[in-house]
Amino acid sequence: MCASCCHVVYSHAEKFTAFSLILCPKLSLPSVKVKNGAPMSIICHADISKNTDFQLKHNFTIFKDGKLVFMTVSDKEDARYEIPVAKSSDTGDYECTVKADGKLSFSNSIYVWVAGMTKPILTADKKEVLEGEVVKLRCELPEEVPPLEFFFRKIKTNSAPKEKRVPEQNQNFSEVEYYVEEGDNILQFDCFGKRQVRSGWESSQHSNKTLVTVKEPFIKPTLITGPSSNVTEGDQIEFECSTVVAQMRDIEIILQKNRTILNSIRDKKFLKYSTVATQEDSGEYLCKVEQGAVSKTTKLNVFVSELFPKPTLSASMTKLDESKDLILSCSINGFRRANFSIVRKGSHEDILLKNSRVLAMKVNVNDTGSYTCKAEVKGIVKESKPLRINVYAPVSKPTLSVVSGSPEVILGKPLQLICHSVMGTPPITFTFYKGDEVRKNVTNDTYAIFLDEDIGLNDNGGYKCDARNNHSSGVKTSNILNVTVIVPIRNASLGSVPYGEVEVGSDTAFLCSVKEGSWPIDFKFFKKTDHEVLLHEVREYSDRTIWHKKTMKRKDTGTYYCMASNRASMDVRSHPITIHVILAAWQKGVIAAFVLTAIAGAGAIALWWFLRKKKKGNEWFPSLCLGRNVLQLNLHLSQQQRLMGVRLQR
């Protein structure tokens, strides 16, 4: 058998929901919907098989979303849970249990939806406020259970409402503050609430509208100029900015032009500012009044007519040689009655040269600079645009030299030259020549550098440079610079006479030569042992040299090489040669004679000893034995002579 279940049935006519407890599989029914504010009854019915006369107590328990909401003990088969006024918080899953005679049965679950929410109540802490103040609002959803979401709206005429959303997890009301802005007049506020249900979001009606009246703490300021609206340079112009204030507390009035504050005042209703008008005073002026967070502004455009135009400075010449005459003249187009002065612009301050329209002077190079003239009429001073005057000293004759200091260059290496003029007003233009060909033009202050990257064997001279500036004296030319092209050493070789074998005591000539290289050349001769030994060195104005080594000895046998270098600072090494020092012919003969004499003496002694031995033991055959022994000795001597001859030849 299946577990027993309780089934809830809702009746629209009776306004209640019924449950039955039966021994059968669980049943499912559609969700029911109850209007917010209507009464609602939930009935749990137990269908129990029992004897007619037997009285059985039933324990009824009703749960909503797993939480106990109702419990009773009855001997009847029904238990009723009454909700007089249904609220949205009553929405949820309901189920009941019945326990009788130790048996416990569960109903199936049914979802009850209480549609709609209670209307919220909105209150404001003030009914009348000033601009810049804050209105505090409270929205409450009575009889609703959190979590809830509250929505507040600030409503202005001819503009979209400004809405604020506030979630509340633990209470059924919420509070917010609204800032009252400039221009707010009559404001309306309302609110509404939302809660999340299984089918989505449930929204309440909008609350009552709360009206708040806004007053200005002060009126928009007025800005006027005097004494007349027609202003000309030199006139006195006065600005007056004023307002009407409800409360004279922490109020500030500011007058500014192009974000520059001209004047400001506190805790007063008006501000005055005066000045002598100039053309620079034309433009937009702004009067601003601030109190707390409220700010109001008024703008006014002012045009100042020109009293006289800016003066113009002219010069007889703007580029001239030193010791020449310069005339500066200041004038105003169509206007002559003014106080003129001519000044020279300095890095820190201007230098007054003369209070006059005209200035004549004999110039030097220190007079190079910017000049202006000033004109004053009725206290108004105007200045001309700067005029640049350049005074030039002639360039001196330039000098041309090699940057490294030495007038030599290695073949294939670049040559760097510098052209320098001690005197002369910059900028100076330097021109480099290689022969009659112009190679480069450089404009600099006092010097220029030229790099010749293509040095050949024939580039030994012909460099020069010109220098010129804006002085009328023209071009100055340096002396011609000749350079020496150094050809690096190439292919050193070593030979000897005799070559290969040299007799002891004889002389040997070593010849070291190079295929190419500029003179002088340093030659060095080395013998290679465990370490290199320098034997001889010499400097030659030639591509070869000979070193005579006299009286060669047996210890002079070995490997020789030479090394050559010049001002290119590159050492070139030859291939090595090997020399064997051998004995001379007469030395070989002396040694052979000495060896033969020694061998003959040894043979005579051996023969004497042999004959003596034989005489004692072989007296019967003396002639035969003697003849055989003499023959053996001759053969032995012949072999020794041949061996000795081979050794001497070697």
Side-chain angles (χ1 to χ4, degrees):
M1 295 181 64
C2 68
S4 61
C5 60
C6 182
H7 181 58
V8 181
V9 180
Y10 175 77
S11 171
H12 290 278
E14 298 177 355
K15 300 296 182 182
F16 66 87
T17 302
F19 289 91
S20 296
L21 182 63
I22 59 175
L23 297 176
C24 64
K26 282 188 177 182
L27 299 177
S28 61
L29 292 178
S31 299
V32 292
K33 185 176 182 180
V34 180
K35 186 177 180 181
N36 189 289
M40 182 175 68
S41 297
I42 297 177
I43 299 174
C44 184
H45 176 73
D47 186 6
I48 301 176
S49 299
K50 64 182 181 63
N51 295 329
T52 305
D53 299 332
F54 181 72
Q55 296 295 322
L56 182 64
K57 293 290 186 180
H58 309 144
N59 291 326
F60 292 92
T61 307
I62 298 177
F63 298 89
K64 173 184 172 289
D65 296 329
K67 295 181 180 180
L68 176 66
V69 295
F70 177 77
M71 184 173 63
T72 186
V73 178
S74 174
D75 56 357
K76 297 180 180 180
E77 294 184 351
D78 294 331
R80 182 184 295 267
Y81 172 46
E82 297 285 351
I83 301 176
V85 179
K87 302 181 291 295
S88 61
S89 58
D90 294 322
T91 298
D93 290 304
Y94 289 84
E95 61 182 358
C96 75
T97 64
V98 178
K99 185 176 182 181
D101 195 24
K103 294 183 179 181
L104 180 65
S105 296
F106 296 86
S107 73
N108 61 314
S109 176
I110 187 169
Y111 178 70
V112 178
W113 179 19
V114 180
M117 297 175 66
T118 57
K119 184 177 181 178
I121 300 172
L122 179 67
T123 56
D125 65 337
K126 300 174 184 176
K127 294 297 182 182
E128 188 176 275
V129 294
L130 295 175
E131 291 176 339
E133 291 186 339
V134 172
V135 177
K136 188 174 182 180
L137 302 175
R138 175 188 170 99
C139 184
E140 184 177 359
L141 285 167
E143 301 179 358
E144 296 294 343
V145 177
L148 299 167
E149 287 198 4
F150 291 87
F151 295 83
F152 295 83
R153 298 197 308 164
K154 175 185 175 183
I155 305 169
K156 288 175 61 174
T157 306
N158 299 325
S159 63
K162 291 185 177 180
E163 189 175 273
K164 290 185 178 181
R165 169 184 169 272
V166 183
E168 295 288 354
Q169 298 293 327
N170 303 311
Q171 57 190 19
N172 64 351
F173 68 91
S174 184
E175 294 178 342
V176 297
E177 292 182 346
Y178 272 94
Y179 170 72
V180 180
E181 303 172 358
E182 178 187 356
D184 287 347
N185 189 2
I186 297 176
L187 298 176
Q188 286 185 330
F189 296 92
D190 69 3
C191 69
F192 64 93
K194 286 186 177 183
R195 65 175 292 133
Q196 194 167 17
V197 296
R198 180 177 295 180
S199 57
W201 285 94
E202 187 79 68
S203 297
S204 74
Q205 302 177 32
H206 284 246
S207 70
N208 55 299
K209 282 187 170 57
T210 299
L211 188 67
V212 177
T213 303
V214 181
K215 292 185 176 181
E216 290 184 295
F218 54 86
I219 66 171
K220 186 175 182 179
T222 58
L223 178 61
I224 58 175
T225 60
S228 171
S229 58
N230 295 325
V231 183
T232 304
E233 287 182 315
D235 293 344
Q236 190 79 17
I237 182 172
E238 185 174 282
F239 296 87
E240 183 175 308
C241 181
S242 61
T243 185
V244 177
V245 185
Q247 296 179 358
M248 186 61 68
R249 176 176 52 85
D250 295 333
I251 191 164
E252 184 177 14
I253 303 176
I254 301 170
L255 177 67
Q256 64 185 55
K257 178 179 182 288
N258 298 331
R259 297 187 178 182
T260 300
I261 296 177
L262 304 176
N263 197 11
S264 65
I265 195 169
R266 284 185 175 273
D267 296 331
K268 293 198 176 184
K269 296 181 180 180
F270 64 91
L271 173 148
K272 287 186 177 181
Y273 172 77
S274 63
T275 185
V276 176
T278 65
Q279 256 197 315
E280 286 74 19
D281 293 323
S282 295
E284 184 180 77
Y285 290 79
L286 183 142
C287 176
K288 180 190 294 184
V289 180
E290 294 180 346
Q291 188 177 42
V294 182
S295 175
K296 296 184 180 183
T297 60
T298 297
K299 296 179 181 179
L300 177 67
N301 284 312
V302 174
F303 177 75
V304 180
S305 301
E306 187 178 58
L307 178 62
F308 64 96
K310 286 184 177 182
T312 301
L313 181 65
S314 58
S316 57
M317 298 179 68
T318 58
K319 295 181 179 180
L320 65 165
D321 297 346
E322 61 179 354
S323 301
K324 296 291 183 180
D325 292 327
L326 172 67
I327 298 176
L328 299 175
S329 179
C330 188
S331 62
I332 300 176
N333 186 21
F335 204 96
R336 296 186 62 85
R337 292 175 300 163
N339 296 322
F340 293 96
S341 59
I342 297 177
V343 299
R344 180 180 174 183
K345 306 296 288 184
S347 56
H348 300 291
E349 60 180 358
D350 295 344
I351 301 172
L352 176 63
L353 300 179
K354 190 175 183 181
N355 288 318
S356 175
R357 290 182 62 252
V358 179
L359 172 64
M361 56 189 296
K362 191 177 292 291
V363 296
N364 57 52
V365 290
N366 295 326
D367 293 322
T368 295
S370 294
Y371 294 78
T372 64
C373 74
K374 297 180 180 180
E376 180 183 356
V377 179
K378 293 177 61 176
I380 301 299
V381 179
K382 294 188 177 181
E383 187 174 0
S384 69
K385 292 182 178 179
L387 180 64
R388 180 74 182 179
I389 302 297
N390 292 297
V391 182
Y392 297 97
V395 295
S396 59
K397 180 179 179 179
T399 58
L400 182 64
S401 60
V402 181
V403 173
S404 63
S406 173
E408 295 181 341
V409 61
I410 299 173
L411 180 67
K413 299 292 184 179
L415 174 66
Q416 195 174 34
L417 304 174
I418 183 171
C419 184
H420 177 248
S421 285
V422 177
M423 303 295 294
T425 304
I428 302 174
T429 299
F430 298 91
T431 303
F432 288 91
Y433 297 85
K434 187 176 182 179
D436 295 329
E437 179 185 356
V438 176
R439 300 303 296 267
K440 191 176 184 181
N441 288 302
V442 179
T443 300
N444 206 342
D445 288 344
T446 60
Y447 70 93
I449 293 178
F450 168 66
L451 184 65
D452 188 357
E453 297 182 327
D454 185 20
I455 299 297
L457 283 172
N458 298 323
D459 294 334
N460 292 322
Y463 291 99
K464 66 179 180 179
C465 69
D466 290 343
R468 67 181 183 277
N469 63 357
N470 289 320
H471 194 274
S472 60
S473 61
V475 177
K476 302 291 177 64
T477 304
S478 71
N479 294 331
I480 294 177
L481 175 66
N482 294 320
V483 297
T484 301
V485 179
I486 305 300
V487 180
I489 301 296
R490 187 165 67 92
N491 293 349
S493 60
L494 177 66
S496 67
V497 178
Y499 182 79
E501 291 185 349
V502 180
E503 292 183 349
V504 173
S506 63
D507 296 342
T508 302
F510 290 92
L511 172 64
C512 186
S513 62
V514 297
K515 190 171 184 180
E516 189 177 57
S518 296
W519 302 347
I521 300 176
D522 292 324
F523 294 94
K524 296 180 181 180
F525 294 85
F526 295 87
K527 180 183 180 185
K528 190 172 183 181
T529 58
D530 294 337
H531 58 279
E532 296 177 343
V533 178
L534 176 62
L535 303 176
H536 178 71
E537 59 180 331
V538 66
R539 173 170 291 182
E540 297 283 0
Y541 286 85
S542 172
D543 58 359
R544 64 194 61 206
T545 187
I546 297 176
W547 171 46
H548 293 277
K549 182 171 176 54
K550 297 182 178 181
T551 316
M552 294 290 284
K553 300 177 182 179
R554 294 293 296 271
K555 66 178 181 179
D556 293 325
T557 296
T559 300
Y560 294 80
Y561 66 90
C562 71
M563 191 176 292
S565 63
N566 61 3
R567 296 192 303 280
S569 299
M570 294 176 60
D571 293 333
V572 179
R573 183 171 173 171
S574 70
H575 290 293
I577 62 173
T578 301
I579 300 295
H580 295 283
V581 179
I582 62 175
L583 296 176
W586 65 271
Q587 291 175 318
K588 294 178 182 179
V590 170
I591 293 173
F594 176 78
V595 171
L596 291 176
T597 302
I599 291 173
I605 294 171
L607 180 60
W608 175 80
W609 179 81
F610 182 76
L611 293 176
R612 188 178 179 187
K613 290 288 287 181
K614 289 294 183 179
K615 184 176 182 182
K616 292 180 179 181
N618 296 301
E619 294 179 353
W620 296 103
F621 307 99
S623 58
L624 178 61
C625 293
L626 179 59
R628 187 171 57 203
N629 289 332
V630 171
L631 178 61
Q632 290 177 350
L633 179 60
N634 288 334
L635 290 174
H636 177 71
L637 289 175
S638 298
Q639 291 176 356
Q640 291 295 327
Q641 289 176 354
R642 286 197 301 272
L643 290 174
M644 192 63 195
V646 172
R647 289 175 183 172
L648 292 177
Q649 290 176 3
R650 291 181 181 176

